[in-house]
Amino acid sequence: MTASELNLLMTLATIHAIALASPGPDVALVVQSASRYGRRTGLLIALGLSVGILLHSILSLTGVSLLIRQHPLWFVIIKLAGGSYLLWLGVGALGYVLRHQGEGRSLARVEVEAGLEGPLNAFVRGLMTNLLNPKALVFFVSLFSTLVPADLSAQGKMGALVLLWALSLTWFSLLAQLLTSRTLQARLQRAALTLDGICGAVFVLVGGGILWSTLSGL
């Protein structure tokens, strides 16, 4: 791998790291799931999110995402599906809060110990939250079309894919680990329903905003 390709990978990694740390649906999902269901679910969510980012990277690197972005009907379908999914997650979280008001810490402790969300369901929820987010599609199309040259070597492309995936998995896994440390978990259990409400509001605002902007532009 050449020095210019290494510099390119460092630039991609820096931009992606900043994007990962920015608040959004991915971070909200890890916070909500880890605080409600515990470490294992948080790590599976992290894996699903990172695989979604890997798929976005592959589609952008191969030009598929750019074709979707440039085809109005396809992009509208993606935005409607993604906005609807995020809105569904938000409504579900807010409904959960309304159903369980007053149960708070005891409810959270029971759910963490029981691990009520299955491994496959947790992984798929993380995967779909990232994969169906049209803002993620636009971000990766912009990232790759702006920074990655068409003649980048196969080794450079593979390095970019592995790097972005590894950064994503590491960041979301560390977040899940931190949120489920013994000291912090006890505090999160006391605020479980509040966190659900905040995360649900994030999903509703982002998903509803995507749907509103898409439908109003038709």
Side-chain angles (χ1 to χ4, degrees), residues 170-196:
T170 300
W171 162 248
F172 291 125
S173 296
L174 284 175
L175 184 59
Q177 290 276 1
L178 175 64
L179 291 170
T180 52
S181 64
R182 181 172 297 180
T183 302
L184 192 54
Q185 184 72 60
R187 295 178 180 177
L188 289 176
Q189 286 177 1
R190 290 193 291 269
L193 290 181
T194 300
L195 287 172
D196 269 319

Tab-separated table of all heavy atoms in Angstrom, residues 170-196:
chain	number	residue	atom	x	y	z
A	170	THR	N	-15.737	-1.031	17.120
A	170	THR	CA	-15.013	-0.657	18.334
A	170	THR	C	-15.743	0.444	19.095
A	170	THR	O	-15.935	0.359	20.320
A	170	THR	CB	-13.588	-0.187	17.994
A	170	THR	OG1	-12.886	-1.251	17.336
A	170	THR	CG2	-12.832	0.212	19.256
A	171	TRP	N	-16.177	1.478	18.379
A	171	TRP	CA	-16.845	2.604	19.036
A	171	TRP	C	-18.150	2.181	19.704
A	171	TRP	O	-18.383	2.451	20.889
A	171	TRP	CB	-17.109	3.724	18.039
A	171	TRP	CG	-18.134	4.724	18.491
A	171	TRP	CD1	-19.372	4.931	17.970
A	171	TRP	CD2	-18.020	5.646	19.598
A	171	TRP	NE1	-20.029	5.914	18.659
A	171	TRP	CE2	-19.223	6.372	19.662
A	171	TRP	CE3	-17.017	5.923	20.511
A	171	TRP	CZ2	-19.456	7.354	20.610
A	171	TRP	CZ3	-17.258	6.913	21.475
A	171	TRP	CH2	-18.458	7.609	21.512
A	172	PHE	N	-19.013	1.495	18.952
A	172	PHE	CA	-20.312	1.121	19.516
A	172	PHE	C	-20.157	0.066	20.619
A	172	PHE	O	-20.922	0.068	21.592
A	172	PHE	CB	-21.243	0.617	18.416
A	172	PHE	CG	-21.690	1.690	17.465
A	172	PHE	CD1	-21.492	1.543	16.091
A	172	PHE	CD2	-22.293	2.845	17.921
A	172	PHE	CE1	-21.900	2.536	15.207
A	172	PHE	CE2	-22.693	3.845	17.050
A	172	PHE	CZ	-22.493	3.684	15.688
A	173	SER	N	-19.174	-0.826	20.486
A	173	SER	CA	-18.934	-1.831	21.529
A	173	SER	C	-18.426	-1.178	22.807
A	173	SER	O	-18.846	-1.534	23.919
A	173	SER	CB	-17.919	-2.877	21.043
A	173	SER	OG	-18.425	-3.608	19.947
A	174	LEU	N	-17.513	-0.218	22.665
A	174	LEU	CA	-17.012	0.498	23.836
A	174	LEU	C	-18.136	1.264	24.528
A	174	LEU	O	-18.206	1.315	25.763
A	174	LEU	CB	-15.899	1.465	23.427
A	174	LEU	CG	-14.535	0.840	23.118
A	174	LEU	CD1	-13.575	1.907	22.611
A	174	LEU	CD2	-13.962	0.153	24.346
A	175	LEU	N	-19.022	1.850	23.722
A	175	LEU	CA	-20.158	2.573	24.290
A	175	LEU	C	-21.048	1.620	25.079
A	175	LEU	O	-21.486	1.927	26.194
A	175	LEU	CB	-20.946	3.247	23.168
A	175	LEU	CG	-22.123	4.139	23.570
A	175	LEU	CD1	-21.667	5.266	24.479
A	175	LEU	CD2	-22.818	4.706	22.326
A	176	ALA	N	-21.318	0.444	24.503
A	176	ALA	CA	-22.141	-0.550	25.194
A	176	ALA	C	-21.451	-1.042	26.466
A	176	ALA	O	-22.100	-1.230	27.506
A	176	ALA	CB	-22.426	-1.732	24.269
A	177	GLN	N	-20.133	-1.249	26.410
A	177	GLN	CA	-19.385	-1.681	27.594
A	177	GLN	C	-19.444	-0.629	28.694
A	177	GLN	O	-19.659	-0.937	29.869
A	177	GLN	CB	-17.918	-1.936	27.210
A	177	GLN	CG	-17.691	-3.151	26.324
A	177	GLN	CD	-17.594	-4.454	27.117
A	177	GLN	OE1	-17.707	-4.463	28.331
A	177	GLN	NE2	-17.387	-5.548	26.419
A	178	LEU	N	-19.245	0.622	28.314
A	178	LEU	CA	-19.261	1.709	29.299
A	178	LEU	C	-20.628	1.833	29.956
A	178	LEU	O	-20.736	1.977	31.182
A	178	LEU	CB	-18.886	3.024	28.617
A	178	LEU	CG	-18.966	4.291	29.488
A	178	LEU	CD1	-17.964	4.208	30.628
A	178	LEU	CD2	-18.704	5.540	28.635
A	179	LEU	N	-21.667	1.749	29.146
A	179	LEU	CA	-23.023	1.921	29.668
A	179	LEU	C	-23.436	0.782	30.596
A	179	LEU	O	-24.354	0.945	31.401
A	179	LEU	CB	-24.018	2.023	28.508
A	179	LEU	CG	-23.932	3.292	27.662
A	179	LEU	CD1	-24.793	3.159	26.418
A	179	LEU	CD2	-24.350	4.517	28.466
A	180	THR	N	-22.775	-0.371	30.455
A	180	THR	CA	-23.162	-1.531	31.268
A	180	THR	C	-22.115	-1.869	32.321
A	180	THR	O	-22.118	-2.975	32.859
A	180	THR	CB	-23.404	-2.757	30.367
A	180	THR	OG1	-22.260	-2.968	29.514
A	180	THR	CG2	-24.631	-2.563	29.508
A	181	SER	N	-21.207	-0.934	32.608
A	181	SER	CA	-20.302	-1.137	33.733
A	181	SER	C	-21.122	-1.159	35.014
A	181	SER	O	-22.222	-0.605	35.076
A	181	SER	CB	-19.254	-0.017	33.790
A	181	SER	OG	-19.881	1.226	34.027
A	182	ARG	N	-20.593	-1.809	36.044
A	182	ARG	CA	-21.393	-2.035	37.256
A	182	ARG	C	-21.916	-0.729	37.865
A	182	ARG	O	-23.079	-0.619	38.240
A	182	ARG	CB	-20.550	-2.788	38.284
A	182	ARG	CG	-21.295	-3.090	39.583
A	182	ARG	CD	-20.477	-3.988	40.471
A	182	ARG	NE	-20.234	-5.282	39.847
A	182	ARG	CZ	-19.536	-6.261	40.426
A	182	ARG	NH1	-19.010	-6.076	41.630
A	182	ARG	NH2	-19.359	-7.411	39.801
A	183	THR	N	-21.042	0.272	37.943
A	183	THR	CA	-21.441	1.542	38.559
A	183	THR	C	-22.473	2.274	37.715
A	183	THR	O	-23.509	2.725	38.225
A	183	THR	CB	-20.215	2.448	38.743
A	183	THR	OG1	-19.243	1.763	39.546
A	183	THR	CG2	-20.614	3.756	39.412
A	184	LEU	N	-22.195	2.370	36.421
A	184	LEU	CA	-23.091	3.131	35.553
A	184	LEU	C	-24.401	2.403	35.316
A	184	LEU	O	-25.452	3.032	35.193
A	184	LEU	CB	-22.394	3.418	34.221
A	184	LEU	CG	-23.070	4.434	33.303
A	184	LEU	CD1	-23.324	5.741	34.034
A	184	LEU	CD2	-22.221	4.670	32.062
A	185	GLN	N	-24.361	1.050	35.271
A	185	GLN	CA	-25.580	0.291	35.032
A	185	GLN	C	-26.610	0.549	36.130
A	185	GLN	O	-27.808	0.679	35.868
A	185	GLN	CB	-25.267	-1.199	34.954
A	185	GLN	CG	-26.474	-2.069	34.601
A	185	GLN	CD	-26.894	-1.921	33.157
A	185	GLN	OE1	-26.131	-2.199	32.260
A	185	GLN	NE2	-28.121	-1.496	32.916
A	186	ALA	N	-26.136	0.626	37.370
A	186	ALA	CA	-27.059	0.880	38.485
A	186	ALA	C	-27.750	2.227	38.325
A	186	ALA	O	-28.939	2.367	38.587
A	186	ALA	CB	-26.300	0.823	39.803
A	187	ARG	N	-26.987	3.219	37.870
A	187	ARG	CA	-27.583	4.544	37.664
A	187	ARG	C	-28.554	4.535	36.484
A	187	ARG	O	-29.612	5.173	36.530
A	187	ARG	CB	-26.483	5.572	37.420
A	187	ARG	CG	-25.563	5.782	38.621
A	187	ARG	CD	-24.469	6.781	38.305
A	187	ARG	NE	-23.578	6.979	39.448
A	187	ARG	CZ	-22.507	7.752	39.435
A	187	ARG	NH1	-22.199	8.416	38.314
A	187	ARG	NH2	-21.755	7.876	40.498
A	188	LEU	N	-28.174	3.822	35.437
A	188	LEU	CA	-29.039	3.769	34.258
A	188	LEU	C	-30.349	3.053	34.557
A	188	LEU	O	-31.389	3.396	34.002
A	188	LEU	CB	-28.309	3.061	33.114
A	188	LEU	CG	-27.153	3.832	32.470
A	188	LEU	CD1	-26.453	2.975	31.416
A	188	LEU	CD2	-27.653	5.129	31.840
A	189	GLN	N	-30.280	2.048	35.426
A	189	GLN	CA	-31.505	1.348	35.788
A	189	GLN	C	-32.505	2.285	36.453
A	189	GLN	O	-33.707	2.174	36.246
A	189	GLN	CB	-31.181	0.173	36.715
A	189	GLN	CG	-30.539	-1.010	35.994
A	189	GLN	CD	-30.161	-2.117	36.953
A	189	GLN	OE1	-30.389	-2.021	38.156
A	189	GLN	NE2	-29.580	-3.175	36.431
A	190	ARG	N	-31.998	3.218	37.249
A	190	ARG	CA	-32.895	4.168	37.916
A	190	ARG	C	-33.514	5.148	36.924
A	190	ARG	O	-34.573	5.716	37.174
A	190	ARG	CB	-32.118	4.940	38.999
A	190	ARG	CG	-31.727	4.103	40.196
A	190	ARG	CD	-31.258	4.970	41.358
A	190	ARG	NE	-29.989	5.615	41.065
A	190	ARG	CZ	-28.793	5.106	41.357
A	190	ARG	NH1	-28.716	3.908	41.937
A	190	ARG	NH2	-27.688	5.767	41.084
A	191	ALA	N	-32.823	5.354	35.803
A	191	ALA	CA	-33.310	6.313	34.805
A	191	ALA	C	-33.730	5.627	33.510
A	191	ALA	O	-33.786	6.253	32.456
A	191	ALA	CB	-32.223	7.349	34.514
A	192	ALA	N	-34.030	4.313	33.600
A	192	ALA	CA	-34.285	3.520	32.394
A	192	ALA	C	-35.420	4.090	31.542
A	192	ALA	O	-35.289	4.245	30.324
A	192	ALA	CB	-34.591	2.070	32.776
A	193	LEU	N	-36.543	4.405	32.177
A	193	LEU	CA	-37.690	4.886	31.409
A	193	LEU	C	-37.429	6.287	30.849
A	193	LEU	O	-37.892	6.610	29.754
A	193	LEU	CB	-38.946	4.879	32.277
A	193	LEU	CG	-39.487	3.488	32.635
A	193	LEU	CD1	-40.741	3.606	33.481
A	193	LEU	CD2	-39.770	2.665	31.379
A	194	THR	N	-36.676	7.090	31.595
A	194	THR	CA	-36.325	8.422	31.081
A	194	THR	C	-35.470	8.294	29.825
A	194	THR	O	-35.683	9.003	28.834
A	194	THR	CB	-35.553	9.220	32.151
A	194	THR	OG1	-36.381	9.348	33.311
A	194	THR	CG2	-35.187	10.599	31.631
A	195	LEU	N	-34.486	7.389	29.863
A	195	LEU	CA	-33.636	7.159	28.697
A	195	LEU	C	-34.458	6.637	27.517
A	195	LEU	O	-34.241	7.031	26.371
A	195	LEU	CB	-32.522	6.162	29.038
A	195	LEU	CG	-31.397	6.688	29.927
A	195	LEU	CD1	-30.467	5.555	30.340
A	195	LEU	CD2	-30.617	7.776	29.193
A	196	ASP	N	-35.390	5.735	27.807
A	196	ASP	CA	-36.278	5.237	26.742
A	196	ASP	C	-37.047	6.381	26.106
A	196	ASP	O	-37.214	6.442	24.889
A	196	ASP	CB	-37.260	4.209	27.300
A	196	ASP	CG	-36.724	2.795	27.195
A	196	ASP	OD1	-36.126	2.465	26.155
A	196	ASP	OD2	-36.888	2.033	28.155
